[in-house]
Amino acid sequence: MNFILATHNLKKREELARILAPLGVRVLTAEEAGVTLTDVEETGTTFEENAVLKAESGCRESGMPCVADDSGLEVDALGGAPGVYSARYAGAHGNDGKNIDKLLDALRDVPREARGARFVCTVCCAFPDGTRIVTRGVCGGSIAFARSGDGGFGYDPVFLPDDALGQSMASLSDAQKDAISHRRRALEKLAQKLREKGIGNA
Ligand code: IMP
């Protein structure tokens, strides 16, 4: 069975393909499927709303089951911000450097024990028959006082996962990050629900 992925991000595609391959599910980008998907504006106020918006639009336009995700960082001391606005926290879309500067500044006077945070990822798979599966994965941790590590992307240099013994997410190898990431956890749950639905060969 072929699924289409509502993202141009090849790293997400690889991760999804790895997790869904054992189910006999092939994940295609829009380009590979030979269709053009409209870039959906992320107008939702929750990760779930945005993932559903993107997956349902991609499913409608392609006629194929479509997978989309939405993710971000929730910081306790900021009441859950930046949340769905993580990519746009410092204004310019996708400027990781400025986003981190703004976050460290906002938490300047917050002590270590109050710097709890989590990465959240919601995945939606929308089917042409109108049904959908929505799953959520969380990676708990805290925000460091300064950057470390040079891997990953986004807030990884200042995120200290609970499972990483004080190392930042950006200091972990891809395989180590994959093993504990919010995205991996949401995708594993999606694979499980697809199995329960009788999709694939597992
Ligand atoms: P999106 O779901 O790809 O739009 O990601 C939203 C934003 O959340 C990204 O631009 C990053 O700032 C942040 N983010 C999501 N996942 C991660 C991650 O695994 N590491 C670091 N930052 C992330």
Side-chain angles (χ1 to χ4, degrees):
M1 180 179 259
N2 289 341
F3 282 27
I4 193 165
L5 184 58
T7 178
H8 304 293
N9 185 329
L10 290 181
K11 217 177 157 246
K12 284 188 187 174
R13 195 206 98 133
E14 277 168 32
E15 189 172 3
L16 202 62
R18 264 200 315 274
I19 294 174
L20 296 187
L23 296 180
V25 169
R26 278 180 67 213
V27 182
L28 307 175
T29 59
E31 292 77 22
E32 288 168 334
V35 298
T36 309
L37 300 186
T38 313
D39 269 336
V40 177
E41 224 187 307
E42 299 187 9
T43 52
T45 55
T46 62
F47 297 116
E48 176 169 345
E49 278 179 62
N50 283 333
V52 169
L53 274 174
K54 290 185 272 189
E56 295 203 326
S57 169
C59 178
R60 245 189 339 268
E61 290 185 343
S62 66
M64 294 165 63
C66 179
V67 180
D69 81 332
D70 196 44
S71 58
L73 177 70
E74 291 179 349
V75 178
D76 293 339
L78 303 177
V84 290
Y85 306 105
S86 292
R88 301 164 263 171
Y89 185 46
H93 184 91
N95 189 332
D96 292 341
K98 283 191 185 156
N99 286 339
I100 290 181
D101 287 343
K102 182 170 174 181
L103 180 66
L104 290 179
D105 198 43
L107 297 180
R108 204 179 33 223
D109 300 321
V110 178
R112 184 175 303 276
E113 63 276 12
R115 297 174 76 93
R118 69 202 59 78
F119 278 131
V120 178
C121 175
T122 297
V123 172
C124 174
C125 182
F127 296 90
D129 68 1
T131 58
R132 62 164 98 117
I133 296 172
V134 180
T135 60
R136 180 183 171 90
V138 174
C139 177
S142 60
I143 304 300
F145 286 89
R147 293 166 166 84
S148 62
D150 51 17
F153 72 101
Y155 297 91
D156 282 346
V158 291
F159 185 78
L160 309 174
D162 287 335
D163 299 334
L165 303 171
Q167 291 192 88
S168 78
M169 196 74 122
S171 305
L172 304 182
S173 67
D174 285 352
Q176 284 171 321
K177 176 176 174 181
D178 273 5
I180 59 168
S181 85
H182 44 310
R183 197 164 291 107
R184 160 59 66 94
R185 287 172 177 160
L187 290 173
E188 297 278 8
K189 287 188 198 166
L190 172 65
Q192 180 58 36
K193 293 215 172 167
L194 288 171
R195 268 186 220 109
E196 287 165 16
K197 217 171 145 77
I199 291 173
N201 50 19

